[in-house]
Amino acid sequence: VQLQASGGGLVQAGGSLRLSCTASGRTFSVYGMGWFRHIPGKDREFVAAITTTAGSTWYADSVKGRFTVSGGANGKNPVYLQMSKLKPEDTAVYYCAAANQALNSIAVLRTTTYEYWGQGTQVTVSS
């Protein structure tokens, strides 16, 4: 499975961005898609995840109410991360990832849950 993330950029605090992640290859094996972000000097951080069947979603507390994950049906459609009310602390490189196993509230948090990763896309929020 290959993942291609896009949509990052520079935005002012309070603004919005939508990230996209397109999967190709053996996408029928994908059960869930996740978004993580990485700030230099810190561990990669879970942001949001969605299952490709029932569309169940999970969010990090820091983004609840501001970010929305959608799409990813059957592992083929793009997965989107709509980010609103952005804050300077949301500045990071954002990565999408795909999992070949069922997701739950614990598994979504772990980078090891996801077998495939896309390249990152930079999001910069200015104050």
Side-chain angles (χ1 to χ4, degrees):
V1 176
Q2 294 79 45
L3 303 175
Q4 180 73 38
S6 61
L10 173 64
V11 65
Q12 288 188 331
S16 300
L17 279 176
R18 188 178 77 163
L19 305 184
S20 299
C21 179
T22 301
S24 60
R26 298 174 64 87
T27 57
F28 59 85
S29 66
V30 173
Y31 282 84
M33 301 287 289
W35 287 97
F36 285 73
R37 63 189 182 187
H38 182 238
I39 301 170
K42 297 185 178 181
D43 292 334
R44 195 167 290 192
E45 175 188 41
F46 169 76
V47 176
I50 187 168
T51 59
T52 57
T53 52
S56 300
T57 58
W58 295 267
Y59 296 94
D61 288 343
S62 59
V63 307
K64 279 181 182 176
R66 302 188 298 120
F67 291 11
T68 303
V69 61
S70 63
N74 300 316
K76 291 184 178 181
N77 294 336
V79 174
Y80 301 103
L81 184 67
Q82 178 68 46
M83 305 185 295
S84 303
K85 300 178 182 179
L86 283 161
K87 305 175 181 180
E89 51 263 44
D90 294 319
T91 295
V93 178
Y94 284 72
Y95 297 87
C96 62
N100 286 342
Q101 57 184 290
L103 301 181
N104 57 50
S105 60
I106 301 300
V108 293
L109 304 176
R110 300 171 179 159
T111 57
T112 53
T113 295
Y114 304 86
E115 287 83 5
Y116 308 101
W117 291 82
Q119 90 292 354
T121 184
Q122 177 71 47
V123 171
T124 303
V125 184
S126 63
S127 57

